[in-house]
Structures are given as structure tokens and as C-alpha cells.
Amino acid sequence: MSESAAPADTRDIFYDIRRGKHLANEHVWVYYYPLLLSRGYKLRSRYAPDWRPSWRDPNVSLAELLSHEDALTPAKRAEIMDAVHLPDNRHVVLKKIRSSSEELQIAQFLSSQSLSSDPRNHAVPILDTIYDPDDKDVAFLVMPILLQMNYLPFRRFGEFADAVRQYLTGLQFMHENNVAHRDACYFNLMVDATELIPGGFHFVLENTHDGVQPWREWRERNSVKNLRYYFIDFGISRHYSTNTGVRDVGISAQDQSFPERSEIVPYDPFKADIYHLGNVILDTVKEYDGLEYFTQIGNAMTQKNPADRACLSDMLAIVDRLKPRQLERRIWSRDNPWFLRILIRFFGYDFCI
């Protein structure tokens, strides 16, 4: 039978998964499994050289298939994968990059001893770097597993204020060290959820502990001391010799709305960072009742003229003016109808909504 005449289900990615085959973007992880294991990092069983599917029927239903953790394929970019660091059983994330890339240099620079000890540094920590002995241009960054900043709802005004303060501080710190992130957008803003979700979460299916069993209990952010927020992904970041008078080009950021974007006319990449973070603040404010205070910050950071955009220190001052009484105020996701708000507030309902 020709490919064009193949049954519709054979063109579904689940056709190969059901039959115990790896997808095209997974072969690289099967290849590197032995190297990573030799360095103390164990990938999921799916990528082991002797892996056999834990299900037997190649025509298994989709519901049954997804009850097996080793059926889960990369939900994120192909160069990203999770693993367990065997010496301490810590779940980590691996990112395959070119060892000659500026991304590696910037990531290591921001994780250097002199910078990583500064509490204002909110760049994702680089726990380890692994090099391919047979290919000098392949390296793996090892990082903690983090959760999307807004995956769990904010429940208190002060929780969001803390996140905004940390992101403003972290961006200011990068800029002071002449690093422009260039993609300080939603999907690169993360939180360390280690203490927020008892039992942890799965890298592919974040709403489960192990890729199969959903978690129901989680802790509100204000109950966790020293909760940390991070910037990730320095794939298009640049490290300049100064942070003043810099001009560069580029249009690769997630948020394409910044007015000066161009591949031809140079613009200030530090001002573009401010715009991108400001837009995340505005977008998050729109998702909640009770965060309107932060609209002034987002608006000041997203002025059409880059020269008119607020400096980060002024925005931090606005956050620091908040009173303790304001920080305790309850906020609500606009997706929460009135009856769920009652369940949450008066009956302790804590499902992730």
C-alpha cells in the first residue's frame, strides 16, 4: 500500500508510539543515553537501549496507551529532556546545545560563582555541563526542573507582587552585567515549584506526579518561604561589552509585538527586554480580578517609543511601596465562577483552578 493510500490512523504519531517506535526527535536521546548515564544522569526508560514498551498490544486504545509513562514523548522542543541525577535522585532538565554557542557562554557566565551568589540573580542555575567526547560541538546544560510561572494560580496580591519584583530584579541584574535576554517572554518565565507541589510533577505532563497519576494537592505561594522565580532559555541572548548605546537587530522573540522589531534597523535590545516583561505583566493582570495596580507598571514598560519606557529601578520602587495589608488581599482568576470562589475561600477547595 502506498503512503498516500495508508489508513488515516497510520499518519497519526500514536501509530508509531503504539508499536514501540521512537519519533524522529527522540533518536538523539536514545543515542546519548549511555553517555548521560555514565555522567550520573538517567533518562526515562523509553530511551534506554534495551527498552521494550510496557504495553503489549500494538492496537491499544489511546486511553490505555496514555496510562503508561513510557508512552510519553517530548512535549517540548526536541533539544530538551528530563532526567534523574542518580547520586541525589534529583529531577533535572537537560538541554542539548552547541558548545561553541553564545548560549553556553552566557548560561555559564550567569551561573559563575561570583554571579550565582548574588540573590538578585534570577537566571536559571546551571548545575552541570556535559560535553560529548566524540563531538566537540555538542554539550548538555543541566538545570533544575521548573514550572511555568502562571501554571498554578496566584491566590494573593502579594504573591504576584513577589513574582513581579523578582523578575524586575532579575532582568535588572542581567542588564547590569551587560546581558540582554532578548526573549524575556511568557514561556521563559518559570518558578521553582519544589515546595508548591508535594510529590513533584512530571516534566511532560505537569498535572501528574509521574506521567500517569494526577496530583490534586498543592500549596499556595505565600505559604512557601523564599519561593524563587527564574528566567530560562538564553538561546538568542547576547552578552555585550556595555549596556549603554547598544544597538542590535533580531525578530526571534516569542512576543512579536514590540514596535521596534527589525532585522535591518538596529534597536536597543535592553529596551526590548523591558517591553517583553511588561507585556507579560499586562497579560497576567488581565487574567485576574484584583491585580489592576500592576497595570501602571506594564503600561510604563511597554511604551511604543523605547526611549519612553520606564527604567526597572522605578518599577521596583512602585512594587516596594505596597503595604502589608495590600499584599494579603485575595485575588481571583477570572475563570473562577462565583460558586468556585466560595468553595475555595470558605471550604478549603484547593484544586488547581
Side-chain angles (χ1 to χ4, degrees):
M1 180 180 293
S2 67
E3 179 64 26
S4 61
D9 67 329
T10 65
R11 293 192 293 269
D12 191 309
I13 63 169
F14 292 108
Y15 180 84
D16 284 339
I17 295 174
R18 284 185 173 99
R19 284 150 182 78
K21 297 181 179 180
H22 293 103
L23 304 183
N25 63 359
E26 296 183 290
H27 293 296
V28 62
W29 297 106
V30 176
Y31 175 80
Y32 279 110
Y33 187 98
L35 171 64
L36 296 171
L37 185 60
S38 72
R39 300 295 196 272
Y41 298 95
K42 186 176 182 180
L43 302 180
R44 281 180 275 125
S45 62
R46 178 176 178 83
Y47 305 107
D50 58 352
W51 173 68
R52 295 292 181 272
S54 59
W55 63 95
R56 296 183 180 181
D57 182 3
N59 296 310
V60 62
S61 69
L62 181 58
E64 172 63 21
L65 181 70
L66 295 180
S67 70
H68 297 266
E69 194 262 357
D70 60 332
L72 296 179
T73 58
K76 301 176 176 65
R77 295 179 302 181
E79 71 270 21
I80 305 289
M81 184 55 66
D82 59 310
V84 174
H85 184 225
L86 294 176
D88 57 9
N89 203 39
R90 180 178 185 176
H91 287 262
V92 297
V93 174
L94 306 174
K95 184 176 184 181
K96 178 178 176 286
I97 63 173
R98 290 171 48 243
S99 58
S100 59
S101 67
E102 189 168 9
E103 177 177 8
L104 177 61
Q105 298 169 26
I106 290 174
Q108 291 181 330
F109 169 67
L110 292 172
S111 280
S112 61
Q113 185 173 359
S114 59
L115 296 189
S116 61
S117 60
D118 193 318
R120 299 181 303 145
N121 187 350
H122 289 273
V124 59
I126 303 303
L127 308 175
D128 195 2
T129 306
I130 302 169
Y131 296 92
D132 181 352
D134 299 320
D135 187 340
K136 300 302 182 183
D137 202 34
V138 172
F140 296 88
L141 295 176
V142 182
M143 299 164 284
I145 186 168
L146 303 172
L147 191 66
Q148 203 74 52
M149 173 268 292
N150 201 24
Y151 187 87
L152 293 173
F154 292 96
R155 289 277 180 85
R156 304 284 173 182
F157 185 92
E159 294 176 352
F160 186 65
D162 181 42
V164 170
R165 180 186 292 107
Q166 291 194 40
Y167 286 127
L168 291 171
T169 301
L171 193 61
Q172 182 183 57
F173 180 82
M174 278 192 279
H175 288 183
E176 288 176 0
N177 286 280
N178 305 332
V179 173
H181 189 287
R182 311 210 68 190
D183 198 13
C185 304
Y186 177 78
F187 290 107
N188 289 333
L189 304 184
M190 311 294 282
V191 62
D192 182 354
T194 303
E195 296 187 52
L196 292 176
I197 304 175
F201 62 94
H202 195 276
F203 181 68
V204 177
L205 290 181
E206 294 97 334
N207 65 330
T208 69
H209 287 300
D210 54 8
V212 177
Q213 185 64 38
W215 50 262
R216 298 296 183 188
E217 296 182 0
W218 59 283
R219 301 175 63 189
E220 292 190 14
R221 299 171 200 246
N222 66 350
S223 70
V224 176
K225 292 184 178 180
N226 302 317
L227 186 65
R228 293 282 290 181
Y229 292 86
Y230 292 101
F231 291 93
I232 64 168
D233 193 355
F234 299 98
I236 60 174
S237 302
R238 292 294 303 277
H239 189 186
Y240 302 97
S241 59
T242 181
N243 59 19
T244 59
V246 175
R247 295 294 182 269
D248 210 338
V249 296
I251 61 172
S252 299
Q254 299 165 38
D255 181 356
Q256 296 283 297
S257 68
F258 62 115
E260 64 268 36
R261 64 185 291 270
S262 175
E263 289 185 313
I264 301 172
V265 180
Y267 57 85
D268 186 339
F270 297 100
K271 293 291 188 179
D273 276 355
I274 292 174
Y275 178 96
H276 284 143
L277 181 57
N279 236 8
V280 174
I281 293 171
L282 288 176
D283 287 344
T284 308
V285 166
K286 294 173 186 175
E287 296 176 9
Y288 289 86
D289 289 327
L291 291 181
E292 293 77 13
Y293 178 88
F294 296 95
T295 301
Q296 61 182 313
I297 294 178
N299 286 340
M301 295 173 68
T302 56
Q303 291 296 301
K304 184 175 181 179
N305 184 345
D308 294 335
R309 289 175 197 159
C311 67
L312 296 171
S313 58
D314 288 345
M315 299 301 96
L316 281 166
I318 293 176
V319 178
D320 290 337
R321 286 203 298 264
L322 291 166
K323 307 298 183 183
R325 180 169 50 85
Q326 292 174 282
L327 300 177
E328 291 298 320
R329 194 170 67 228
R330 189 70 166 79
I331 61 173
W332 298 98
S333 168
R334 289 180 176 167
D335 290 335
N336 292 158
W338 64 268
F339 63 88
L340 281 180
R341 298 186 185 194
I342 292 175
L343 288 174
I344 293 169
R345 187 167 188 173
F346 298 107
F347 296 94
Y349 188 68
D350 63 359
F351 187 61
C352 183
I353 54 174

